[in-house]
Amino acid sequence: EAGVTQSPTHLIKTRGQQATLRCSPISGHTSVYWYQQALGLGLQFLLWYDEGEERNRGNFPPRFSGRQFPNYSSELNVNALELEDSALYLCASSLERAGGYGYTFGSGTRLTVV
Amino acid sequence: AQTVTQSQPEMSVQEAETVTLSCTYDTSESDYYLFWYKQPPSRQMILVIRQEAYKQQNATENRFSVNFQKAAKSFSLKISDSQLGDAAMYFCAYRSYGGSQGNLIFGKGTKLSVKP
């Protein structure tokens, strides 16, 4: 069974540009979560999608947005990139919303803003 | 809002010895889940162990076990017979039982080094 896949692995963008990150969940998983892992800050929750809808959002500005497609894959868009957006972005998927089974994570996209 | 605190930014253990990583959390909820995740240099988060708050029995997974103290809101991870492959960042995480907040809330992590 394929795990959670994220693309691209690395992404270099210029300040002010837009970045698009993609995530494919494990087959059968309907929930996708996005986290930002900046150096020294641990994992900060960004967005949660389930069944195509945004269910919850972390404390991030509106220029962080995303969507979930009918096949449950997801993309994260970051507009008007700032230097402090440089971080590892992790995607996770889970089997059910309230199951508490924890998540399966991808290996992340390293975004560097220059 | 729930918070998770890991008070040890870095820990070190000798190979084959035992080490305990600390985690405390704050919540007003009675039902929830707690997790320990491992993040090696490969960056992928790996689930180490999971505990349901309504279960009094401490979870164990091979060399990994937890000491769950619900009243004290403490959830420490014990790694026995430490191996070189255990070197990684370890994150404690909290998840509400209800469906309205499905995301995990993470502590800032503890970097574990294993000395040969």
Side-chain angles (χ1 to χ4, degrees), chain A residues 35 46 50 54 98 104 113:
Chain A
Y35 290 86
L46 271 164
D50 182 66
E54 182 180 302
T104 302
V113 183

Side-chain angles (χ1 to χ4, degrees), chain A residues 44-63:
Chain A
Q44 305 293 315
F45 168 66
L46 271 164
L47 290 159
W48 169 29
Y49 292 97
D50 182 66
E51 299 281 359
E53 295 186 14
E54 182 180 302
R55 298 295 184 184
N56 199 9
R57 182 182 181 87
N59 188 24
F60 279 85
R63 56 190 188 82

Side-chain angles (χ1 to χ4, degrees), chain B residues 7-114:
Chain B
S7 59
Q8 306 152 315
E10 295 188 27
M11 291 282 286
S12 180
V13 63
Q14 204 72 31
E15 196 175 5
E17 297 294 309
T18 296
V19 64
T20 299
L21 307 183
S22 301
C23 173
T24 58
Y25 58 95
D26 188 28
T27 184
S28 59
E29 299 174 333
S30 58
D31 290 326
Y32 47 86
Y33 302 94
L34 295 165
F35 307 85
W36 278 99
Y37 278 89
K38 168 185 176 181
Q39 187 180 39
S42 66
R43 310 184 323 196
Q44 185 158 17
M45 299 284 282
I46 301 166
L47 178 64
V48 175
I49 203 163
R50 168 179 173 264
Q51 174 83 41
E52 292 103 331
Y54 61 86
K55 290 186 178 180
Q56 292 187 340
Q57 185 174 7
N58 290 323
T60 62
E61 288 287 342
N62 300 315
R63 299 182 294 107
F64 299 88
S65 61
V66 298
N67 183 5
F68 174 48
Q69 302 289 330
K70 191 173 184 180
K73 296 180 182 175
S74 172
F75 184 60
S76 60
L77 174 70
K78 186 172 80 171
I79 306 174
S80 304
D81 185 26
S82 296
Q83 300 175 0
L84 296 178
D86 294 334
M89 283 292 292
Y90 286 81
F91 292 94
C92 178
Y94 172 102
R95 186 186 192 276
S96 296
Y97 183 77
S100 62
Q101 286 205 20
N103 53 286
L104 293 171
I105 300 168
F106 287 90
K108 293 190 183 298
T110 296
K111 183 178 181 180
L112 178 66
S113 302
V114 180

Side-chain angles (χ1 to χ4, degrees), chain A residues 6-7 11 18-23 34-36 46-47 49 57 63-69 74-79 89-91 109 111:
Chain A
Q6 291 188 245
S7 62
L11 188 59
Q18 178 194 37
T20 298
L21 289 63
R22 295 179 176 83
C23 173
W34 288 95
Y35 290 86
Q36 181 194 68
L46 271 164
L47 290 159
Y49 292 97
R57 182 182 181 87
R63 56 190 188 82
F64 286 84
S65 65
R67 55 179 171 167
Q68 186 177 33
F69 299 99
S74 175
E75 69 179 27
L76 173 69
N77 295 295
V78 188
N79 294 318
Y89 289 82
L90 290 168
C91 169
T109 293
L111 173 63

